[in-house]
Amino acid sequence: MAATIIPLIAWAVVLITLGATLRATLRKSRAGSVAEISDGEARVRAYGLVLRDKLDRALFGPALAGQVWDRVMERPAGEGLIHEFHRDFCGHGLIRTQAGIKLCDILDGHHPGEAIAEWRSREEFVAFFAEQSDYSCSGWDETSPVFFTSDEWHRNNQRLTREKLLRFLAGPLPA
């Protein structure tokens, strides 16, 4: 009987030791992954601040704003400046409406969302956009009620920039 009990006790000790080791290893890896996630989020936030500080703060000016108005108004209603064409959220766009131009989120590369802001005259549009910059359009500028967001994901995410406005102006005319 001792020949049966002693090996069973030895197996139980081995299994308990393995179980305790496995449990301790899993706890460490879970704690490590939480720390890695937190560290990763901190790095993303820090990189976002670096990108924010590189944004151009030079105003677009009335000449560029007027050219953008004129070019958007050449488009049919429902079209305009859409700079990203992919699934899901595609950033901000400027879309011609029956009454003027609206700033809105673009979804799935071509679906304008609800108006964030609207302008019914060239003068209103130029006055507003002449005073904007890459920084103010990025969502970081707390003094810009139209563009500001506290949502980290939307800040500087496919927003309007001088480069995108100029690319739009240089693009082909509507058919």
Side-chain angles (χ1 to χ4, degrees):
M1 181 145 141
T4 306
I5 293 177
I6 291 174
L8 288 175
I9 292 173
W11 273 109
V13 170
V14 168
L15 290 175
I16 290 171
T17 304
L18 283 173
T21 303
L22 183 59
R23 188 176 311 150
T25 302
L26 288 175
R27 280 188 193 149
K28 282 183 185 176
S29 69
R30 278 192 215 133
S33 65
V34 169
E36 289 171 12
I37 290 170
S38 295
D39 186 44
E41 289 173 358
R43 280 186 279 184
V44 167
R45 283 192 186 99
Y47 186 59
L49 294 174
V50 168
L51 293 177
R52 176 201 65 192
D53 293 341
K54 290 182 178 184
L55 289 168
D56 188 356
R57 294 173 188 242
L59 301 180
F60 294 153
L64 178 59
Q67 291 170 344
V68 170
W69 170 273
D70 295 341
R71 192 61 180 270
V72 172
M73 294 307 287
E74 292 173 350
R75 305 281 192 205
E79 294 183 17
L81 190 168
I82 300 174
H83 59 89
E84 297 290 338
F85 297 90
H86 53 73
R87 273 192 60 215
D88 303 322
F89 179 71
C90 297
H92 283 170
L94 294 171
I95 303 300
R96 177 162 182 212
T97 65
Q98 294 297 333
I101 295 177
K102 72 176 180 175
L103 169 73
C104 59
D105 288 338
I106 304 295
L107 304 171
D108 292 327
H110 61 278
H111 294 294
E114 296 297 314
I116 297 168
E118 291 185 82
W119 299 271
R120 297 185 182 270
S121 74
R122 187 179 197 278
E123 293 74 27
E124 289 175 318
F125 182 87
V126 169
F128 177 80
F129 265 94
E131 297 298 315
Q132 302 310 309
S133 65
D134 291 357
Y135 176 71
S136 67
C137 290
S138 73
W140 280 101
D141 187 354
E142 293 179 10
T143 66
S144 178
V146 171
F147 291 108
F148 175 72
T149 181
S150 57
D151 182 338
E152 292 178 9
W153 188 81
H154 279 94
R155 283 189 193 140
N156 206 23
N157 184 357
Q158 305 173 89
R159 296 294 190 104
L160 297 174
T161 62
R162 179 184 311 276
E163 177 185 334
K164 290 172 183 167
L165 297 174
L166 291 171
R167 193 173 348 140
F168 173 68
L169 293 174
L173 291 170

